[in-house]
Amino acid sequence: MIMELKLFLAGCVLFTIAMLMLAIKKLFKTPSSQKLFKSIYLWIDTGWSALMLASFIMFFFIQAFKIPSGSMRETFLEGDHLFANKFIYGFHVPFTNSGKRYAALENIKRGDIVVFQCPPEALPISERESGTKKDYIKRCVAVAGDVVEIKDKKLYINNIRVEEAYATFSDHMVFQKFNLFNTQREYQDAWEKGKFISVPTSFVRDNFGPIIVPKKHYMMMGDNRDFSFDSRFWGPLPDKYIKGKALFLYWPVKRWRII
């Protein structure tokens, strides 16, 4: 939302300048000054309308996104640029934190590649305290009510193994299962609160769960499973952080494709 807000504010500034120019238009009486005034005014008038339109489109329909890390290899590579469809999952009410979305064309499904705002639990303490906001992109592997378990790097949803042609594993080592808590309830509660970010990666990466994805939450994982900081560690993703669905990879040109 930050970029959209910046474009909107820039458009407001140019609109104000355009209105002020109209107010003093009569002061330009000579043909040369009128010609200069008209030229400048047309640029400013075009500028504010273009910025307003761009902010509207980016807020409600399309968002440009750059892949920041290798967590989605080989589906996406670091530096890839793509567009995300922001309206397919419905519209968020602007400037509210309710998380409600309206007029959704479809619900988030397992397998969808989703752009979302990084939840606070996934941020370093310094960034969390400073109010830093980042966007992540991961694949939705489970929705509310699903039972998720990972056994020796193999994903099981509702006790059924999921065949994932897109998942890659760069590390041949398989970390064994660790009993982190005395009861399943303690394990579930700790996961939901994002406490697994403080335990060694080896305790969670290859053997995880079982857990149940809470209501109005999703489990997100990177396709590069051995090197992805995802829901295994920072917990389930609340629906309110969803921004859109990956739509089209437009850069680099040789990798153009509909996602």
Side-chain angles (χ1 to χ4, degrees):
M1 184 185 291
I2 294 177
M3 179 57 70
E4 295 93 318
L5 185 58
K6 287 181 178 178
L7 290 175
F8 178 76
L9 292 176
C12 290
V13 171
L14 290 183
F15 175 77
T16 301
I17 294 173
M19 295 300 101
L20 291 174
M21 290 185 69
L22 287 178
I24 62 173
K25 181 179 180 180
K26 294 181 179 180
L27 298 178
F28 298 85
K29 298 179 179 180
T30 65
S32 60
S33 63
Q34 288 179 354
K35 183 179 180 179
L36 179 61
F37 173 89
K38 184 177 181 180
S39 178
I40 296 174
Y41 176 79
L42 285 175
W43 276 103
I44 293 176
D45 188 52
T46 301
W48 77 258
S49 56
L51 288 172
M52 290 290 194
L53 179 60
S55 66
F56 178 80
I57 291 174
M58 289 182 67
F59 192 92
F60 290 104
F61 297 99
I62 299 292
Q63 175 179 336
F65 183 79
K66 180 180 178 181
I67 303 299
S69 69
S71 68
M72 286 297 290
R73 279 182 172 264
E74 298 288 324
T75 306
F76 301 119
L77 304 180
E78 298 93 320
D80 281 353
H81 290 68
L82 57 85
F83 289 120
N85 183 332
K86 295 186 70 173
F87 65 88
I88 194 166
Y89 296 138
F91 297 104
H92 284 290
V93 178
F95 309 111
T96 67
N97 196 36
S98 65
K100 292 184 178 180
R101 288 184 279 113
Y102 300 90
L105 298 181
E106 64 178 54
N107 294 321
I108 298 174
K109 306 182 298 297
R110 301 186 201 104
D112 284 358
I113 300 176
V114 181
V115 174
F116 55 91
Q117 181 182 316
C118 174
E121 293 79 9
L123 291 171
I125 295 177
S126 58
E127 293 185 347
R128 201 180 309 170
E129 293 177 346
S130 63
T132 299
K133 293 183 179 180
K134 295 180 179 179
D135 288 342
Y136 276 3
I137 183 168
K138 306 286 182 187
R139 191 181 295 272
C140 176
V141 299
V143 298
D146 283 342
V147 178
V148 181
E149 187 171 11
I150 298 172
K151 302 177 184 178
D152 296 335
K153 299 192 179 187
K154 299 176 180 64
L155 176 66
Y156 292 79
I157 304 295
N158 301 322
N159 297 315
I160 299 174
R161 182 179 172 184
V162 181
E163 298 296 335
E164 302 178 286
Y166 42 78
T168 61
F169 300 91
S170 306
D171 185 358
H172 296 295
M173 180 179 291
V174 177
F175 294 120
Q176 298 304 305
K177 184 178 179 65
F178 290 87
N179 292 320
L180 296 173
F181 301 92
N182 294 323
T183 67
Q184 184 59 36
R185 183 68 258 174
E186 290 178 348
Y187 190 101
Q188 176 81 24
D189 288 343
W191 175 69
E192 289 186 17
K193 294 175 182 177
K195 292 186 177 181
F196 288 178
I197 62 173
S198 60
V199 303
T201 300
S202 58
F203 284 23
V204 178
R205 190 189 75 177
D206 300 334
N207 283 278
F208 169 87
I211 52 84
I212 300 174
V213 181
K215 183 178 180 182
K216 294 185 178 181
H217 287 71
Y218 307 93
M219 182 162 182
M220 301 290 179
M221 294 176 65
D223 289 351
N224 187 4
R225 294 294 163 79
D226 292 334
F227 296 96
S228 174
F229 183 54
D230 51 38
S231 283
R232 287 172 291 182
F233 305 96
W234 42 256
L237 178 72
D239 184 83
K240 67 179 181 180
Y241 291 126
I242 298 294
K243 286 197 167 185
K245 182 179 182 180
L247 176 65
F248 181 72
L249 194 158
Y250 67 90
W251 188 266
V253 175
K254 64 181 179 180
R255 289 168 51 75
W256 275 3
R257 72 177 190 274
I258 295 175
I259 300 165

